[in-house]
Amino acid sequence: MSIDRVVSPASRAIEIVGGDLTESSLKRYLAGIPGVDAVGLEARAADLGSRSIKTTSKAWALDRIISLIDLTTLEGADTPGKVRSLVAKGLTPDAADPSCPRVAAVCVYGDMVPSAVEALGAFHGDAVEGGINVAAVATAFPSGRASLPVKLADTADAVAAGADEIDMVIDRGAFLSGRYGQVFDEIVAVKEACRRADGSYAHLKVILETGELNTYDNVRRASWLAILAGGDFIKTSTGKVAPAATLPVTVLMLEVVRDWYRLTGEQIGVKPAGGIRASKDAIKYVVAVAETAGEQWLQPHLFRFGASSLLNDVLLQRQKLASGHYSGADYVTID
């Protein structure tokens, strides 16, 4: 790739980077982002993770966590029946308690989108309006190792099938090789592939796969790059690579969206995914969101948990608060 090749246009990137948006200007901009104080970041995350939440605040946090979950199944053995079960659980997480909120979305592979849409029926819609969105992973998830035409077709097929949100993976090899323009171009192109026939767009979540980016500095640069290219969310991980979501990395990404908001007035979402299984850990993330980006980020269009097993633990904790004693695992469904 020529260093002076003009990359795909994006008005906000041109405004922020300044002048002509070229590979070299993009590199200069990202290189100028201040480095991360790793010790300070980890100390702040540890402090946020040590906060104690009790009684009514805990009850509020548990309900909010449920409303922020992307209930996920991303296995090769997924079937339409499993997706229908997942949707049923997302709609009614606790059959014994109708006050329990619904999840924000169900997240599936692209070919499972029609099954999810059909299972949701009239409840297919925005969480703010009482519905549940359908999110689909795309762009050769989880590796991202495919040609751009394949990635775009993958995305367009999922959107045409009814996906409200697309979770794409960046080309980590290109990013780590310093080919920032290539990564930028792909995000811009995938965003355009999210365009529906009526001119609206499915929301785009850009997965950085932070466990493969090696350094906090890389995570910060990749976060800015994804936002500049048009991502509506930045997401930590596919859940297929260790380490997946961590509190320090999520705090760092929250700092990026906070700084972007201060710079532009535009709110970008954050989604930690992979490895968050216990309600006590999810509460740490809720605290981190409130104290880093602000409480206004604690809503489905700005923060999500990518999870499969987290919901059950939150439900058990919720039942414990209501009854005063712990329920057994058979008091929640397996799916």
Side-chain angles (χ1 to χ4, degrees), residues 2-143:
S2 171
I3 195 167
D4 288 320
R5 184 180 63 80
V6 176
V7 298
S8 300
S11 59
R12 59 178 167 184
I14 293 171
E15 182 179 351
I16 298 300
V17 175
D20 293 333
L21 188 60
T22 63
E23 180 87 7
S24 56
S25 65
L26 192 59
K27 282 186 175 182
R28 282 196 303 272
Y29 183 81
L30 294 177
I33 295 173
V36 178
D37 176 357
V39 173
L41 174 65
E42 291 174 359
R44 174 160 173 74
D47 176 63
L48 292 170
S50 68
R51 307 291 172 82
S52 179
I53 295 180
K54 303 294 184 183
T55 59
T56 55
S57 294
K58 184 175 182 180
W60 176 89
L62 292 174
D63 277 6
R64 185 53 58 102
I65 289 166
I66 294 171
S67 73
L68 298 173
I69 287 177
D70 282 359
L71 194 58
T72 302
T73 182
L74 296 171
E75 302 297 334
D78 285 342
T79 64
K82 184 176 182 181
V83 171
R84 286 193 293 270
S85 294
L86 191 78
V87 167
K89 181 161 186 172
L91 286 168
T92 311
D94 188 344
D97 185 356
S99 72
C100 184
R102 294 174 179 142
V103 301
V106 292
C107 184
V108 296
Y109 276 111
D111 64 319
M112 292 288 106
V113 168
S115 297
V117 170
E118 181 182 9
L120 283 167
F123 294 103
H124 179 206
D126 197 286
V128 175
E129 301 173 356
I132 293 179
N133 278 350
V134 175
V137 296
T139 65
F141 177 97
S143 69

Side-chain angles (χ1 to χ4, degrees), residues 54-306:
K54 303 294 184 183
T55 59
T56 55
S57 294
K58 184 175 182 180
W60 176 89
L62 292 174
D63 277 6
R64 185 53 58 102
I65 289 166
I66 294 171
S67 73
L68 298 173
I69 287 177
D70 282 359
L71 194 58
T72 302
T73 182
L74 296 171
E75 302 297 334
D78 285 342
T79 64
K82 184 176 182 181
V83 171
R84 286 193 293 270
S85 294
L86 191 78
V87 167
K89 181 161 186 172
L91 286 168
T92 311
D94 188 344
D97 185 356
S99 72
C100 184
R102 294 174 179 142
V103 301
V106 292
C107 184
V108 296
Y109 276 111
D111 64 319
M112 292 288 106
V113 168
S115 297
V117 170
E118 181 182 9
L120 283 167
F123 294 103
H124 179 206
D126 197 286
V128 175
E129 301 173 356
I132 293 179
N133 278 350
V134 175
V137 296
T139 65
F141 177 97
S143 69
R145 300 258 61 88
S147 67
L148 182 58
V150 169
K151 293 178 180 181
L152 298 181
D154 193 18
T155 302
D157 284 349
V159 173
D164 308 288
E165 303 166 10
I166 294 295
D167 291 31
M168 71 164 287
V169 288
I170 67 167
D171 185 331
R172 283 85 75 190
F175 180 88
L176 292 170
S177 299
R179 302 196 305 273
Y180 300 145
Q182 179 180 334
V183 178
F184 181 94
D185 281 354
E186 286 200 356
I187 298 171
V188 170
V190 172
K191 177 68 176 181
E192 186 57 31
C194 290
R195 184 183 178 94
R196 304 186 184 96
D198 64 0
S200 64
Y201 287 80
H203 276 219
L204 179 62
K205 304 195 198 88
V206 181
I207 307 171
L208 308 180
E209 198 67 284
T210 54
E212 292 184 338
L213 295 187
N214 302 324
T215 69
Y216 291 134
D217 286 344
N218 278 341
V219 172
R220 178 176 278 176
R221 291 190 190 103
S223 297
W224 276 93
L225 182 62
I227 295 171
L228 284 166
D232 299 298
F233 264 76
I234 48 176
K235 177 178 172 181
T236 61
S237 325
T238 62
K240 307 296 185 181
V241 171
T246 68
L247 194 57
V249 161
T250 303
V251 169
L252 175 57
M253 292 167 67
L254 288 165
E255 290 174 348
V256 170
V257 300
R258 176 201 63 196
D259 293 345
W260 179 264
Y261 177 65
R262 291 174 178 173
L263 181 65
T264 68
E266 181 182 22
Q267 292 178 302
I268 302 296
V270 175
K271 178 180 174 180
I276 306 172
R277 299 183 178 90
S279 56
K280 65 179 181 180
D281 294 325
I283 287 173
K284 295 176 183 178
Y285 284 83
V286 169
V287 172
V289 174
E291 298 208 13
T292 305
E295 290 187 17
Q296 67 268 33
W297 254 263
L298 287 171
Q299 41 192 328
H301 71 283
L302 290 174
F303 190 79
R304 299 283 181 85
F305 291 101

